[in-house]
């Protein structure tokens, strides 16, 4: 399961940011190319976080789309499907870019109830 390795890395990163404090939540942005499924990600995160200060954290997962550039009609669109066809002309002759990020956007510390942004803007 791809998600478990990803979540183990995220739990480790969150713990580094936490410095021993308990975590109430985190916001994670994952590109569509990772083919993450929300429910599977949640289960994998729960397993990876078990027994750590992150174990009770609620994770807000945001899936970001890929950009689809059609070689046929020249159209540009976004999609959560990495095997997308052009929505304008149905051509499968497309170039897909982006959607490969994995970003820990913020961490919410339990005892302070405050959000600490990792990537402002």
């Amino acid at each position: 399961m791809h998600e478990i390795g990803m979540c183990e890395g995220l739990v480790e990163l969150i713990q580094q940011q936490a410095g021993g404090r308990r975590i109430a939540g985190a916001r994670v942005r994952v590109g569509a190319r990772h083919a993450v499924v929300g429910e599977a990600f949640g289960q994998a995160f729960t397993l990876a976080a078990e027994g750590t200060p992150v174990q009770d954290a609620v994770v807000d997962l945001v899936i970001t789309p890929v950009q689809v550039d059609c070689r046929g009609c020249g159209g540009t669109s976004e999609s959560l499907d990495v095997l997308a066809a052009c929505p304008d002309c149905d051509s499968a002759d497309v170039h897909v870019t982006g959607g490969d990020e994995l970003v820990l956007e913020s961490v919410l510390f339990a005892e302070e109830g405050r959000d600490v942004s990792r990537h402002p803007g």
Side-chain angles (χ1 to χ4, degrees):
M1 181 157 78
H2 169 67
E3 284 90 352
I4 193 73
M6 182 184 300
C7 289
E8 287 171 346
L10 281 170
V11 167
E12 188 175 312
L13 180 60
I14 292 168
Q15 287 184 98
Q16 289 173 0
Q17 298 297 322
R21 293 173 283 186
R22 279 189 330 109
I23 304 299
R27 182 178 175 97
V28 178
R29 185 167 29 104
V30 179
R33 284 190 191 233
H34 288 287
V36 168
V37 176
E39 186 175 315
F41 182 89
Q43 291 172 353
F45 190 87
T46 298
L47 286 172
E50 191 173 334
T52 73
V54 184
Q55 74 179 8
D56 297 323
V58 175
V59 177
D60 180 18
L61 178 65
V62 179
I63 306 292
T64 58
V66 294
Q67 181 173 320
V68 180
D69 297 314
C70 182
R71 293 182 180 110
C73 73
T76 299
S77 61
E78 290 185 338
S79 177
L80 294 177
D81 183 358
V82 294
L83 301 176
C86 177
D88 296 326
C89 71
D90 284 333
S91 172
D93 187 15
V94 296
H95 178 66
V96 177
T97 57
D100 54 358
E101 62 274 3
L102 175 59
V103 178
L104 174 60
E105 289 189 340
S106 63
V107 174
L108 181 67
F109 298 113
E111 62 272 9
E112 298 171 18
R114 62 185 177 101
D115 190 19
V116 178
S117 179
R118 304 306 322 151
H119 295 280

